[in-house]
Amino acid sequence: MSAVWRVGPEVAWVDGEGDRVAILDLDRLQEPAIVLTDTSAVIWLCIDGTATDEQIVTQVAAEYEVNEDAIREQVLAFLGDLAQRHLIVRT
């Protein structure tokens, strides 16, 4: 079974009805909240603890009606950035 992404244990977030997400890292309260919009918010909402890299790419491609190959690199890079910031983790 492939590893899946989930929101980090010290992360609080609020969904602004699908087009905006606000994220707060509870381990870094001195830093401002992160606000994701548009595609970045769509990717965040795919991180549900059950989706693999490829499933997230597929969901985002379907949302925007584009070919998976056209967005794969950008989606994976964004997931990597979120992981590097400890906002998401692989399980």
Side-chain angles (χ1 to χ4, degrees):
M1 181 175 185
S2 297
V4 297
W5 289 108
R6 68 173 176 81
V7 173
E10 296 300 320
V11 174
W13 63 280
V14 178
D15 178 4
E17 302 196 16
D19 63 346
R20 192 175 44 190
V21 174
I23 304 167
L24 182 62
D25 184 340
L26 300 175
D27 280 339
R28 295 176 183 85
L29 290 175
Q30 71 280 8
E31 295 181 15
I34 298 167
V35 178
L36 305 177
T37 60
D38 304 319
T39 306
S40 59
V42 169
I43 294 169
W44 180 268
L45 294 172
C46 292
I47 300 166
D48 62 2
T50 66
T52 64
D53 287 345
E54 285 307 308
Q55 289 169 327
I56 293 171
V57 168
T58 299
Q59 289 175 318
V60 174
E63 176 74 21
Y64 290 99
E65 299 179 355
V66 296
N67 184 294
E68 293 174 20
D69 293 333
I71 65 164
R72 179 174 283 105
E73 185 175 321
Q74 293 89 347
V75 170
L76 296 179
F78 184 68
L79 291 171
D81 182 55
L82 292 173
Q84 189 172 30
R85 294 173 185 231
H86 305 285
L87 298 174
I88 62 173
V89 293
R90 283 193 190 269
T91 58

